[in-house]
Amino acid sequence: GPKNHLFLAHELAIRDVRVWLERAAQSRAGHTLERWEDGVEAHIDLERNRPPRVVRPDAWFTYRFEKRVLVGLVELDRGTERGGVRWQEKIAAYGALFETGRLKEVTGYQKARILVVTPNAARRDALANLIQNTVSGGFAERFWLMEHSCLEQPEMTREVWRVPGSLQLRSLLTPELLKGETS
């Protein structure tokens, strides 16, 4: 069972993400949360001999909308860790995941977004800056950050997500993407 209140709060917040996805899917025809893995079932062995050897998202999912699929790797950040060491380890593990091709082997898809849910906008922005300063190239654009309170409204087209390197908030599923006008 839960070891302490921080563990329990973290586990409940992960479930909040799943409920948000389920409610968002129910609100639109042709949308469904096809797969949800959390806890140790969400961990992905990178099948390599050097670190990092495993990537440990809090959860991952496949969300179908019409003929398209969004794959999300969920990180629930409660702002309890100080410094950036743990996040640098996570970033390195995700980088290895995309380099090894294991994402497609495990999920069936090549692309995914790393969805980070934070306790507030200040933490969201601090993590976005840390990610931007840690990674090079377009890899930072795989990280999408949102504050936890945005889960109260189950709408995937709301502009509440921050991508490192941009101050403009974006929607997870744009109206154009929903209509099939863009890939």
Side-chain angles (χ1 to χ4, degrees):
K3 306 267 188 275
N4 62 42
H5 74 284
L6 291 176
F7 175 85
L8 184 57
H10 185 265
E11 290 299 305
L12 291 172
I14 294 166
R15 300 314 179 271
D16 289 345
V17 175
R18 181 174 185 171
V19 169
W20 178 76
L21 288 164
E22 294 280 6
R23 290 179 60 208
Q26 290 172 357
S27 70
R28 288 186 178 263
H31 288 227
T32 184
L33 179 61
E34 288 187 325
R35 186 166 178 189
W36 173 269
E37 301 289 340
D38 61 31
V40 291
E41 289 82 21
H43 296 178
I44 301 170
D45 184 345
L46 297 175
E47 295 184 347
R48 54 191 240 161
N49 295 328
R50 66 186 194 289
R53 292 185 175 93
V54 177
V55 64
R56 294 179 174 90
D58 292 313
W60 67 264
F61 65 88
T62 57
Y63 181 96
R64 179 167 300 279
F65 55 106
E66 303 298 336
K67 295 180 181 179
R68 297 174 180 212
V69 174
L70 169 67
V71 178
L73 304 159
V74 179
E75 285 290 339
L76 211 306
D77 180 88
R78 302 219 354 106
T80 56
E81 297 172 358
R82 294 186 182 217
V85 174
R86 182 69 183 114
W87 265 100
Q88 289 173 352
E89 292 169 353
K90 289 179 187 219
I91 292 166
Y94 281 116
L97 173 66
F98 290 106
E99 289 171 8
T100 63
R102 287 288 293 149
L103 179 68
K104 182 169 173 101
E105 292 172 24
V106 173
T107 67
Y109 299 94
Q110 292 183 146
K111 296 180 181 179
R113 291 183 180 163
I114 303 156
L115 304 180
V116 182
V117 179
T118 65
N120 53 51
R123 180 66 177 174
R124 178 200 65 205
D125 295 344
L127 277 180
N129 291 333
L130 174 81
I131 293 164
Q132 181 65 33
N133 294 329
T134 302
V135 303
S136 59
F139 181 56
E141 294 174 3
R142 292 196 183 269
F143 290 85
W144 290 60
L145 300 92
M146 171 179 77
E147 49 188 301
H148 186 269
S149 64
C150 295
L151 295 173
E152 293 172 12
Q153 293 182 10
E155 178 53 57
M156 298 181 85
T157 59
R158 288 181 60 222
E159 293 178 348
V160 296
W161 295 90
R162 172 138 184 235
V163 176
S166 174
L167 295 177
Q168 180 181 354
L169 297 179
R170 301 181 187 181
S171 62
L172 197 56
L173 300 179
T174 64
E176 296 81 18
L177 187 62
L178 288 169
K179 292 177 189 172
E181 296 173 2
T182 183
S183 58

